[in-house]
Amino acid sequence: MENREAIAKCQSGDKEAFGILVEKYMKRAYFTALALLGSHEDALDLSQEAFVRAFKAIARYDGRYEFFTWFYRILRNLCLNYIRNGRRRSAILSDYQGDLYAVERPDPSVLAERSELREIVWKGLSDLEPDVKEIIILKDIQGLSYSETALVLDCPIGTVMSRLFNARKALKEKLERYL
Amino acid sequence: MNTELTDEEREKFNLLLMKAVDGELSGSEEIEFRRFTDTHEMCMSEWKKFGKLKEVVMNIDFKDPPEEIWDSYWGDVYNRLERGIGWILLSIGCVILFTYGSFKAIESVIDDPTIGLIVKGGIITLLAGIFVLFVSTAREKLFMRKRDKYRGIRR
């Protein structure tokens, strides 16, 4: 079944048709969330939650963008809010418990191949602010073009390029020693 | 080789650099980019570093979770959808029962001649207050947040 047909059925309330979309995009959703969040459990949880929210909002999908571009915004907002709320909780708890409560650390076990350099790059990437890290993930890990990235982020291509420059510059500064 | 760029040249170079790193330079842009790298050491150095950076980031590869995760993925999403509906029905049921129970309680309080007027008034006011708070909170969660035009804006 084509996307358009599946979406039309979903908009009539057909949950089974939504399963076609979920199975088509689940890996992409999971790995995108994993790159943003750095944890398998969180990526699984939030990618599934994003699909639930997408189904509830499917009536508002008008076909102007490709389905995953529309879905990505839901996933992205969930992930960024989760990170922000997690940092707020860590900051509050650390006020009470000093430095006992660590801010989230990237989990190196999610990497397919572990080497010192890959773990250093992964940590450097994870240390960036979420909206800075995001554009590197979209461009360099997901392999989106400039125009696809601009669609997903809902901003002009020029903005994508300047954000990308700033993001790569920030990452380069963290990894200067290893480049 | 020159080492200093003006701010305008710097900005131009940065954009060309990103395109060069991503292999998206047009013919004329490539000529312009080469002019920068051939005449400014710093530009050549940046090109090499950013190129290397892209290479190492692209090599980040994530482990595929076990096949069972994918086999049960849609089922898990479906369960979440169903449970969402379940919670809504449960909440509606609670509201109906609470409203009915409150109504019956108020009725019995009003009909009971042994309960003083002040106590009757206090109980009715208390229940009315709880009802108003509940409706107000529910309205905020269900309607106002959906219509908040600043909802998508990150502060």
Side-chain angles (χ1 to χ4, degrees), chain A residues 15-16 18-19 22-23 26-27 30-31 34-35 40 44-45 47-49 51-52 55 76 80 84 109-112 117-118 121-122 131 136 139-141 146 161 164-165 168-169 171-172 175-176 179, chain B residues 10 14-22 24 46 49-50 52-54 56-67 69-74 76-78 80-82 84-85 146 151-152 154-155:
Chain A
K15 280 200 208 77
E16 294 299 333
F18 191 62
V22 170
E23 287 185 348
M26 62 185 177
K27 290 191 180 185
Y30 166 80
F31 285 113
L34 182 61
H40 160 72
L44 197 57
D45 182 28
S47 62
Q48 288 179 350
E49 184 58 30
F51 278 115
V52 169
F55 182 77
R76 169 195 194 235
L80 297 188
R84 232 174 270 124
S109 69
V110 301
L111 298 174
L117 180 61
R118 281 201 177 94
V121 172
W122 177 230
D131 49 355
I136 295 180
K139 196 74 194 73
D140 295 342
I141 296 179
Y146 286 126
M161 290 170 67
L164 188 58
F165 174 77
R168 283 173 170 164
K169 187 179 163 198
L171 185 59
K172 181 172 80 72
L175 304 178
E176 197 85 62
L179 293 175
Chain B
R10 193 25 151 159
N14 288 344
L15 292 179
L16 288 172
L17 177 59
M18 289 303 100
K19 284 191 166 187
V21 164
D22 296 323
E24 296 203 28
E46 294 274 88
K49 282 186 181 169
F50 275 98
K52 178 76 182 157
L53 179 72
K54 165 128 185 175
V56 297
V57 172
M58 276 177 66
N59 277 330
I60 289 178
D61 206 13
F62 297 113
K63 211 185 286 180
D64 224 345
E67 207 52 44
I69 298 286
W70 305 124
D71 291 341
S72 64
Y73 194 99
W74 163 231
D76 291 340
V77 172
Y78 193 91
R80 285 177 190 238
L81 281 169
E82 262 192 342
I85 294 165
K146 279 189 181 145
R151 185 164 44 105
R154 286 185 277 153
R155 292 172 180 82

Side-chain angles (χ1 to χ4, degrees), chain A residues 15 56, chain B residues 78-94:
Chain A
K15 280 200 208 77
K56 289 178 182 172
Chain B
Y78 193 91
N79 288 340
R80 285 177 190 238
L81 281 169
E82 262 192 342
R83 276 166 210 164
I85 294 165
W87 280 112
I88 290 169
L89 292 173
L90 180 77
S91 305
I92 292 170
C94 286

Side-chain angles (χ1 to χ4, degrees), chain A residues 86-87 89-91 93-94 97-106:
Chain A
R87 286 183 179 180
R89 274 198 299 276
S90 295
L93 285 165
S94 70
Q97 298 178 22
D99 288 332
L100 293 176
Y101 233 87
V103 176
E104 72 277 356
R105 296 224 160 83

